[in-house]
Amino acid sequence: MITYRFLTQHCSLALAVALYSQAALAADDLKADPDKRAASTVAAMTLDEKIRTVFGYFSSDFKGVAKPKDGVPYAAGFVPGVERLGIPHQQLTDAGIGVATQPSPAPRVRTSMPAGIASAASWNPALSYAGGAMIGKEARLSGHNIMLAGGVNLQREPRNGRNFEYAGEDPLLSGVMVGEQIRGIQSNQLVATVKHFAYNDQETGRTKVNVKIDDAAGRMSDLLAFQIAIERGDPGAVMCGYNLVNGYYSCENDYLLNRVLKRDWGFRGYVMSDWGATHSTIPAALHGLDQQSGWPFDQSPYFNDALKEAVQNGHVPHKRLDDMARRILRAMYANGLMEHPVRIEADKIDLNAHAKVSQSAAEEGIVLLKNSAALLPLADTYATIAIIGGHANVGVLSGGGSSQVYPAGGSPVPNEGPKTFPGPIVYLPSSPMKALAARMQAKFVYHDGKDAAAAARVAAASDLAIVFATQWTAEDLDQPDLALPHKQDDTIAAVAAAAKKTVVVLGTGSPVTMPWLGAVDAVLEAWYPGTNGGEAIARVLTGEVDASGRLPATFPASISQLPRAAIDGTGLSKEARFDSDYNIEGAAVGYKWFDKKGYQPLFAFGHGLSYTTFAYSGLAARATQGTLAVSFKVTNTGKRDGKAVPQLYVSKVGGGWEAPKRLGGWDKLTLKAGASGESRVSIDPRTLALFDSRSNSWKIAAGTYRVMLAEAADKPVATVSLRLPARQFAAGAR
Ligand code: GLC
């Protein structure tokens, strides 16, 4: 038995206190109560050890600062541990699509999930969890215990270069899908990170833009996505973003960090900055930032000696520094980082099995937008098939920036795009053409599509033309418009005019316009489909699997339908600071904006065709436990097995909301031909409420509400109405 006396005779008093209290903690407390463990360890830390814990480094040589010697090479970040107290190094890696590698001579080969927007398009939370669990396992086996994944920024702006990393325009769909990814990642005893908090919804001037948005509008849109993701995933960390919000940088924004996140939502983890998003010492520490990340990305090492001095001078209370360190340690204890130390064991990564996990998400995220005369799934009767563009003979596209995952053998298209960040453009060596050729008896002819007339001649000489059109999107880079780049619209139009039948497969990170839509027979949105993307596309095209993706974002018919003609900041100098008034649309993001304005989009939120048909019956809703419980039956009335994605939109009779309707819930059912299934869905009560800033609470008004069962935001199937009593609940409740 270690006695207190023994300890005080053999170590410092502070350490004795810590070790004794640690030893005194019952074993089950060790895991069950990370708060107690964290408080106990902080009590034993010296001032320098606390400072060491709240100050993080970039894990590559950068701006003349060498990579930390104990940092995992080419990773995102490193924070030294405190060995004498059993605190491991914090080894940070990006990100939501897989274990990324900072540009380096020898990038790590890891599995790439499909783009976040593709996973969201599956509307299948179980696949998000599985994908998170897989990339988290690869992160652990790569020597990382903190993953900077869980990007949940809303697609407020369809031209945002990072839309591919996120989960679309609706806060409920985004929050659930990213929350499940976070839960999956943390199932590997890692800390996951929900980001970029908040309103980092464009890349143009991302470190200069000041977003203006009212409290209530934000709570019912971007903040609700974060709130749901945090509820579902319980991430150890939140990453604050680059932009300003209502005049204050996100990473020193008392309203966002202390009031909303930590007070209203009761967040017990820690806030890390984005790389280069820390702008001060005292304001940042007092307003809720717990860790500066990625030195030397910032102007100054604010949370190193400067913070120590601020604490010693009393400008930052010592208890605030204790709170910072405790939050970090709590996240580490809560996720088992001390009991499960990481080490690099990359040879244990089962890349084949992991590719299948990625493929499942890719297949269920592919959205069949158009299918005239049931051209798809492809019959195996074509003698010659022309494959045009998109480097479809060698691979599939991926998005650029810090989330970049590198494939085995490197990109099969090595020299496209910027040579520096957020480039290079990386293709993943999974060829749709090869995958089709392995399944069909046709002769395949490839043309790169760069010369529209030549491509049209190849198409004319074939029995079917499949055009692969791509749009590379990336961090730090917004799209200038909604058009496909590099004159691909011309190529598609020319091919469609010459071919007997034309299929278009889109590999985009965001919604695009389609001036050729009327001239083609079928369109698939395959996004960036990940490591086995070619297989996934081929399996959907040939009908080995149903097309079961549904759009997580509205596809506008034109830019004139958007809240702003150009992204704010477009054309300004890199140094210019500017406002972006998100109050124009407020909480009416995406389909809510289109409904509010009465606009007809090209394709609606939730749209997606199947290879079979479904019938719905028995829609019923009842008020229970402060919300609505909805049930209905779905029947596969077609001849093929398929997956249905019934959606539930709620609205208040008499209006008063930011928009006519909101997604309140959904289901996804796999049904054999002729089979039926029952769905029971609980509506998230916040989708029935307005946020009231004065009382800082959600309020469901007494009245009549409609529940619309639909196959898309513009495709209602059945509606029921019922009265609900008034209900008020706290900002952090549901
Ligand atoms: C980047 C990104 C962030 C990433 C971090 C580390 O600039 O904004 O998503 O996790 O830096 O690479």
Side-chain angles (χ1 to χ4, degrees):
M1 166 72 175
I2 293 180
T3 64
Y4 185 70
R5 179 180 171 75
F6 166 82
L7 286 170
T8 47
Q9 284 166 353
H10 293 76
C11 42
S12 71
L13 179 58
L15 178 57
V17 167
L19 291 177
Y20 187 73
S21 54
Q22 190 87 313
L25 281 175
D28 55 2
D29 264 359
L30 289 182
K31 187 86 171 79
D33 193 335
D35 289 299
K36 276 186 187 166
R37 291 184 75 185
S40 162
T41 304
V42 169
M45 292 173 93
T46 65
L47 175 57
D48 285 340
E49 289 166 340
K50 294 171 190 173
I51 295 296
R52 183 194 308 184
T53 304
V54 303
F55 181 66
Y57 298 84
F58 185 44
S59 265
S60 297
D61 300 342
F62 187 62
K63 286 188 189 172
V65 175
K67 173 188 90 57
K69 70 176 178 56
D70 295 328
V72 172
Y74 312 123
F78 172 79
V79 181
V82 181
E83 190 175 2
R84 74 179 187 84
L85 293 175
I87 302 171
H89 296 322
Q90 298 169 47
Q91 303 278 10
L92 298 82
T93 187
D94 284 307
I97 291 162
V99 174
T101 296
Q102 296 295 336
S104 66
R108 300 178 290 191
V109 168
R110 294 294 184 269
T111 306
S112 174
M113 282 294 287
I117 193 166
S119 292
S122 77
W123 293 58
N124 185 340
L127 288 179
S128 264
Y129 179 88
M134 182 271 284
I135 62 172
K137 184 170 187 179
E138 291 202 0
R140 166 164 285 279
L141 293 173
S142 304
H144 298 286
N145 51 15
I146 293 175
M147 197 163 205
L148 303 168
V152 74
N153 294 90
L154 280 195
Q155 185 171 141
R156 200 176 267 275
E157 170 51 66
R159 294 161 289 191
N160 175 11
R162 295 188 82 171
N163 285 332
F164 77 94
E165 291 187 57
Y166 306 143
E169 68 193 28
D170 181 81
L172 180 64
L173 178 65
S174 295
V176 168
M177 297 303 282
V178 175
E180 287 302 308
Q181 178 194 42
I182 288 168
R183 209 164 63 82
I185 290 169
Q186 295 194 152
S187 69
N188 293 283
Q189 289 82 42
L190 305 183
V191 168
T193 311
V194 69
K195 69 184 184 182
H196 307 82
F197 193 65
Y199 307 105
N200 179 184
D201 299 344
Q202 67 178 63
E203 292 301 290
T204 303
R206 66 178 180 168
T207 62
K208 304 294 180 201
V209 60
N210 173 42
V211 168
K212 292 160 61 177
I213 185 155
D214 296 345
D215 174 53
R219 303 269 188 158
M220 298 189 289
S221 56
D222 288 66
L223 298 183
L224 181 56
F226 275 93
Q227 186 176 10
I228 293 170
I230 291 169
E231 284 167 1
R232 300 273 305 213
D234 191 19
V238 168
M239 183 190 293
C240 45
Y242 286 120
N243 55 288
L244 295 90
V245 178
N246 297 327
Y248 296 90
Y249 276 112
S250 295
C251 292
E252 53 190 48
N253 194 304
D254 185 58
Y255 159 76
L256 280 180
L257 305 182
N258 285 334
R259 210 176 109 199
V260 175
L261 178 65
K262 295 178 179 178
R263 188 196 72 182
D264 288 352
W265 298 350
F267 180 66
R268 293 175 298 174
Y270 68 103
V271 178
M272 66 166 83
S273 73
D274 201 339
W275 273 233
T278 305
H279 297 277
S280 68
T281 297
I282 297 170
L286 296 182
H287 294 162
L289 183 64
D290 300 308
Q291 187 179 68
Q292 174 180 8
S293 308
W295 173 250
F297 266 78
D298 296 303
Q299 295 299 313
S300 175
Y302 299 103
F303 276 20
N304 203 344
D305 293 344
L307 179 58
K308 179 178 177 181
E309 185 186 330
V311 170
Q312 288 167 325
N313 294 344
H315 295 306
V316 173
H318 202 132
K319 68 179 173 32
R320 171 58 188 134
L321 176 61
D322 287 349
D323 176 52
M324 294 159 74
R326 195 182 60 249
R327 283 176 173 273
I328 295 166
L329 293 180
R330 184 218 187 269
M332 295 172 74
Y333 283 125
N335 288 290
L337 272 62
M338 282 68 168
E339 287 77 24
H340 301 275
V342 286
R343 51 182 174 278
I344 298 179
E345 302 174 286
D347 55 321
K348 291 184 179 173
I349 295 175
D350 184 343
L351 290 171
N352 290 331
H354 290 180
K356 293 294 180 201
V357 174
S358 171
Q359 184 176 325
S360 298
E363 286 172 359
E364 290 208 24
I366 290 173
V367 184
L368 179 56
L369 297 174
K370 177 179 181 182
N371 191 19
S372 299
L375 175 67
L376 299 179
L378 294 175
D380 191 8
T381 54
Y382 299 98
T384 305
I385 296 178
I387 300 291
I388 295 166
H391 297 291
N393 58 331
V394 293
V396 288
L397 186 57
S398 65
S402 60
S403 67
Q404 185 70 64
V405 179
Y406 285 84
S411 174
V413 182
N415 298 312
E416 285 192 1
K419 296 285 175 263
T420 57
F421 187 87
I425 294 180
V426 174
Y427 277 75
L428 305 176
S430 174
S431 160
M433 185 169 95
K434 288 176 183 151
L436 283 169
R439 290 169 167 78
M440 303 178 78
Q441 48 82 30
K443 178 179 145 224
F444 285 83
V445 178
Y446 177 71
H447 186 278
D448 67 12
K450 288 175 182 159
D451 176 328
R457 285 192 294 273
V458 171
S462 307
D463 303 303
L464 169 73
I466 306 178
V467 187
F468 287 79
T470 58
Q471 170 209 46
W472 184 66
T473 61
E475 180 176 343
D476 208 17
L477 197 63
D478 287 332
Q479 294 301 299
D481 50 38
L482 293 173
L484 283 169
H486 313 311
K487 297 187 184 305
Q488 294 177 95
D489 285 335
D490 297 345
T491 298
I492 295 169
V495 165
K500 299 176 184 65
K501 293 287 182 188
T502 304
V503 177
V504 175
V505 179
L506 297 171
T508 70
S510 278
V512 291
T513 47
M514 305 176 203
W516 34 263
L517 184 62
V520 304
D521 300 284
V523 184
L524 275 185
E525 173 59 79
W527 317 105
Y528 305 144
T531 292
N532 273 17
E535 288 292 311
I537 290 169
R539 280 174 39 86
V540 172
L541 281 173
T542 59
E544 285 178 22
V545 289
D546 188 21
S548 70
R550 301 294 183 266
L551 292 180
T554 303
F555 274 48
S558 77
I559 284 177
S560 65
Q561 296 180 321
L562 300 183
R564 47 192 68 76
I567 295 178
D568 291 320
T570 300
L572 297 183
S573 78
K574 276 258 182 211
E575 289 320 304
R577 284 178 67 161
F578 57 95
D579 290 345
S580 186
D581 186 2
Y582 284 11
N583 288 314
I584 292 172
E585 68 275 21
V589 177
Y591 66 90
K592 296 169 184 171
W593 173 260
F594 279 74
D595 284 350
K596 176 180 177 176
K597 305 296 276 184
Y599 293 157
Q600 179 65 40
L602 185 64
F603 290 107
F605 175 81
H607 172 75
L609 304 176
S610 165
Y611 290 143
T612 185
T613 51
F614 300 100
Y616 303 85
S617 57
L619 176 62
R622 62 188 171 80
T624 175
Q625 292 165 342
T627 186
L628 291 176
V630 183
S631 58
F632 54 91
K633 181 177 166 183
V634 187
T635 301
N636 180 343
T637 50
K639 295 183 174 51
R640 303 175 66 94
D641 299 350
K643 292 181 170 66
V645 186
Q647 300 149 40
L648 294 169
Y649 295 88
V650 293
S651 57
K652 180 171 176 303
V653 173
W657 287 358
E658 75 284 355
K661 67 175 183 286
R662 301 161 173 170
L663 181 72
W666 75 91
D667 198 358
K668 186 162 194 176
L669 302 95
T670 300
L671 295 171
K672 291 203 172 302
S676 294
E678 292 285 336
S679 278
R680 297 187 185 294
V681 178
S682 176
I683 299 296
D684 188 304
R686 288 160 295 198
T687 64
L688 296 165
L690 282 173
F691 189 83
D692 174 49
S693 296
R694 209 163 24 78
S695 62
N696 199 41
S697 65
W698 296 94
K699 287 186 174 178
I700 297 176
T704 304
Y705 290 78
R706 284 201 191 90
V707 177
M708 178 178 93
L709 171 59
E711 290 193 318
D714 66 348
K715 216 170 168 186
V717 168
T719 301
V720 289
S721 301
L722 73 164
R723 285 196 58 77
L724 272 180
R727 182 185 170 219
Q728 183 173 2
F729 49 104
R734 51 168 304 191

